[in-house]
Amino acid sequence: QVSAELKPLTPEDIDKIKTISDRESLNIISPKLVGPAKINGQPALLVGMDTESEFKMKSWFSFHELVGANPGGVETKPYAVKLADTELILGFETAQGLGLSAGDAVSVNGQPYQLTGILNKSGGDEDRLIFANLSSVQSLLGYEGSYSMIEVSGFCNNCPIEDMTSQ
C-alpha cells in the first residue's frame, strides 16, 4: 500500500498563479479534485472539474454518446456541456465496463447521478475516469474549497514552461 500526505490547493493558489510574471502567456486555468469513488458499487477514479475550462484545455475530447444528441452524429463539443451537480460524464472504458449508456441513472458513493455523456475512446487515462462538477465532487469527497491539482495551459507553443512553473 502506498500513502502520501498532500497539501490541498485552494482558490488562493489560483490567485497566485494569476500573478506570475509570465501571466500574459496563461490561457486556461483548470482546477480539479481527484479521488476514489464507487459508481454502482464498482471502484473508479472521480474527477471534479469545471467542464468549460477542462474540456477547452483538452480539445481532443469528443462525445461517443450525449443525452439529447443524435446517435452516431454527436458533434457537441464537450466544453459546451454544463454539468449540473447531479450529472456525470464517463470515460469510454468506464462506461463499457459498467455497461452504461448516456441517460442512465447511476449511484456514486451512494448518491444519485444522471449519466449525461460518454467520451469517445482516446487511448489515454481519461478513458477510465468519471467526470463531474467540481463543487459536487468537493462536497461528495468532503474537500469543499480544495483542489488536488490545478492544470494550466499557455497561449504559445514556446512558452517558458520551466520558468512559469517555478513562479
Side-chain angles (χ1 to χ4, degrees):
Q1 181 178 14
V2 176
S3 176
E5 188 170 327
L6 300 175
K7 178 183 174 251
L9 300 167
T10 67
E12 289 78 27
D13 293 302
I14 292 174
D15 293 340
K16 288 177 189 174
I17 291 169
K18 292 177 180 177
T19 67
I20 67 170
S21 61
D22 288 309
R23 65 186 165 274
E24 68 279 350
S25 297
L26 295 175
N27 180 15
I28 299 170
I29 300 173
S30 183
K32 56 189 67 61
L33 179 65
V34 180
K38 290 200 174 197
I39 181 167
N40 290 350
Q42 298 299 311
L45 198 56
L46 178 63
V47 178
M49 45 82 196
D50 171 71
T51 322
E52 183 176 7
S53 64
E54 181 71 9
F55 291 154
K56 275 187 178 176
M57 185 180 291
K58 297 185 172 127
S59 59
W60 60 89
F61 283 7
S62 61
F63 283 109
H64 175 71
E65 291 181 29
L66 180 65
V67 170
N70 295 327
V74 178
E75 295 194 21
T76 302
K77 291 293 182 190
Y79 64 80
V81 175
K82 305 292 185 224
L83 290 177
D85 283 345
T86 58
E87 294 179 323
L88 300 172
I89 294 172
L90 295 184
F92 188 83
E93 289 180 19
T94 299
Q96 274 202 324
L98 295 170
L100 295 171
S101 297
D104 288 349
V106 297
S107 169
V108 178
N109 289 1
Q111 298 298 312
Y113 281 82
Q114 180 79 24
L115 178 53
T116 298
I118 298 170
L119 295 174
N120 276 316
K121 187 170 185 164
S122 70
D125 291 335
E126 57 272 358
D127 288 342
R128 294 175 293 284
L129 299 175
I130 305 169
F131 297 94
N133 180 294
L134 178 60
S135 62
S136 173
V137 173
Q138 288 170 325
S139 177
L140 188 68
L141 299 181
Y143 288 97
E144 287 85 353
S146 296
Y147 318 121
S148 45
M149 69 177 82
I150 302 170
E151 280 189 281
V152 178
S153 73
F155 279 117
C156 51
N157 289 333
N158 297 318
C159 289
I161 300 300
E162 291 81 14
D163 293 341
M164 292 171 73
T165 56
S166 68
Q167 294 174 34

